[in-house]
Amino acid sequence: MIELHNLRAPKGSHRDRKRVGRGPGSGKGKTSGRGDKGQNSRSGGGVPAWFEGGQMPLQRRIPKRGFTNRNRVEYQVVNVADLHILEGVASPETLKAAGLIRSLRRPVKILGGGEVTSAHECSVHAVSASARKKIEAAGGSVAILPPRGGEDK
């Protein structure tokens, strides 16, 4: 019966590490299996995987396009059709509580997708022209909050 004191690894599952530089009888003595001379025989030798032998490397042959604007403001968008979930004021806090936006750190913009069924008082960071028209036509109002500064995007 197998118990803790007589457990053994299955045959062939464990291999001893290669002990190099331990004399000619080991088969890995003298040059330690690295061949004779050259870059790869040295400590720390070899070239990185992306090296192409001095040929112009791929990352420099391919043209670069575009750029990333570091000052871009990424809004969390909410359509006016989704406002029917809320009661009264649509602010970032109430939108987050209703699950319509993910974070209070990023600014909120209301877009004009869908129809407005009831009057809403909206205080958000941005609103599209069509959304403003629909909200005000339904008897609601729109207030623009000041932009957020110095926080995570």
Side-chain angles (χ1 to χ4, degrees):
M1 182 160 120
I2 297 178
E3 293 180 354
L4 282 178
H5 68 275
N6 61 9
L7 278 178
R8 292 187 65 83
K11 189 164 178 58
S13 68
H14 177 75
R15 180 180 290 173
D16 291 339
R17 69 184 177 86
K18 188 192 295 185
R19 296 184 72 227
V20 296
R22 294 297 184 275
S26 71
K28 290 281 185 274
K30 190 178 172 245
T31 54
S32 302
R34 290 172 174 257
D36 286 329
K37 303 183 186 174
Q39 186 176 17
N40 292 320
S41 70
R42 313 289 190 223
S43 167
V47 294
W50 61 85
F51 187 66
E52 299 183 32
Q55 169 178 295
M56 183 60 68
L58 182 67
Q59 70 269 25
R60 290 185 61 197
R61 292 199 301 266
I62 306 297
K64 292 190 263 303
R65 287 190 50 109
F67 79 108
T68 302
N69 183 355
R70 297 172 67 201
N71 298 318
R72 176 183 171 173
V73 178
E74 283 197 36
Y75 289 97
Q76 300 176 94
V77 295
V78 178
N79 280 308
V80 290
D82 299 328
L83 295 179
H84 73 277
I85 298 171
L86 303 174
E87 304 273 331
V89 179
S91 66
E93 291 76 19
T94 57
L95 292 168
K96 171 107 168 76
L100 293 174
I101 62 171
R102 289 183 174 217
S103 169
L104 292 175
R105 291 173 173 240
R106 288 173 47 211
V108 178
K109 181 171 184 173
I110 296 182
L111 301 181
E115 296 303 319
V116 182
T117 53
S118 58
H120 287 284
E121 192 179 311
C122 301
S123 58
V124 290
H125 300 96
V127 62
S128 69
S130 62
R132 182 185 289 269
K133 205 180 290 183
K134 288 178 182 181
I135 291 167
E136 289 173 351
S141 64
V142 176
I144 302 298
L145 295 174
R148 298 186 180 277
E151 294 183 19
D152 293 345
K153 289 186 176 180

